[in-house]
Amino acid sequence: MSLKHAILGFLSFKPFSGYELKKAFDSSVQHFWPANQSQIYRTLAELEGGGFVEKEVVEREERLDMKIYNITETGRTELHQWLATPLPKRDEREPFLIQVYFSGQLSDKEILYIFRNKLKETEERLAVYESVHQMIQNTPQRITDPRIVFFSVLTLEAGYVNNQSIATWLRSAIERIETKNYKIDIG
């Protein structure tokens, strides 16, 4: 996925300024697709150059002019085509699993340190998912189409389920390392 398609997705809902787009990212998809302000503005310029968005400048007396971006038909076509096309197979490299694979060379103390660190990181990510879910529950929905809301919240569910599974696996591995139970349990 590219930032380009994420921005087009947001603009398909309604026009946004760059600042408003950053807020939209932070309040919805930042748990799996973070973007900083400079990336957003740079990508908006590229999208405008490609005819995917149009910029409207709103003059303001006391402050800098505001630039509002609208998706064009070309942008909607690009977004639709990207949404309807299966993504290419992604690189499945996972550095942590390389560490695990060769960890037989470490002491239990060393590997437990690595596993506990990974568990802490995973639990922190779970806490973010839970806080995003809580925020969604406590914030009036600006999008009223329940189908659109459903699909947007599915992303949160996927992150939560995946990380919950990883946390369960890490706890099990830590327990087995601590008790020297080297039995493998696959299904």
Side-chain angles (χ1 to χ4, degrees):
M1 179 180 145
S2 70
L3 181 57
K4 165 185 161 179
H5 294 106
I7 289 173
L8 288 173
F10 281 114
L11 292 176
S12 73
F13 293 143
K14 69 175 202 159
F16 282 99
S17 69
Y19 174 78
E20 292 168 331
L21 274 169
K22 173 63 173 144
K23 286 175 58 177
F25 269 89
D26 290 349
S27 67
S28 62
V29 299
Q30 63 106 17
H31 58 283
F32 65 90
W33 198 264
N36 66 43
Q37 197 74 44
S38 63
Q39 290 173 310
I40 290 171
Y41 282 114
R42 187 171 46 254
T43 304
L44 282 168
E46 292 169 12
L47 288 168
E48 184 182 15
F52 298 109
V53 301
E54 294 175 334
K55 175 175 61 182
E56 174 188 347
V57 178
V58 177
E59 294 181 15
R60 301 187 296 184
E61 288 182 27
E62 300 290 322
R63 297 164 49 194
L64 291 173
D65 293 346
M66 185 173 15
K67 298 170 187 161
I68 304 293
Y69 295 87
N70 292 285
I71 191 169
T72 62
E73 280 308 310
T74 303
R76 285 188 190 283
T77 301
E78 169 64 22
L79 177 62
H80 187 269
Q81 183 178 4
W82 182 80
L83 289 171
T85 303
L87 295 173
K89 185 176 179 179
R90 74 171 211 198
D91 187 352
E92 296 293 332
R93 294 178 193 172
E94 177 51 59
F96 176 70
L97 292 180
I98 288 292
Q99 277 187 302
V100 172
Y101 189 87
F102 293 109
S103 287
Q105 299 176 45
L106 298 175
S107 70
D108 285 353
K109 181 180 178 180
E110 290 170 316
I111 192 60
L112 284 169
Y113 173 76
I114 298 296
F115 272 72
R116 287 181 180 129
N117 236 356
K118 186 68 169 180
L119 179 58
K120 181 177 183 263
E121 174 188 308
T122 304
E123 288 172 337
E124 288 170 354
R125 198 171 309 113
L126 283 167
V128 168
Y129 294 144
E130 289 166 358
S131 69
V132 169
H133 183 258
Q134 192 63 41
M135 182 182 66
I136 290 168
Q137 299 299 316
N138 295 332
T139 305
Q141 293 295 322
R142 287 171 270 166
I143 301 169
T144 57
D145 183 337
R147 187 169 182 272
I148 290 174
V149 172
F150 169 76
F151 284 109
S152 67
V153 178
L154 270 181
T155 62
L156 182 64
E157 183 180 300
Y160 188 84
V161 168
N162 287 334
N163 281 274
Q164 189 64 45
S165 176
I166 291 168
T168 299
W169 172 75
L170 286 165
R171 288 184 197 105
S172 171
I174 289 168
E175 180 183 327
R176 288 182 282 160
I177 294 165
E178 289 173 338
T179 62
K180 301 193 183 317
N181 173 4
Y182 302 122
K183 182 180 177 212
I184 298 299
D185 184 19
I186 299 181

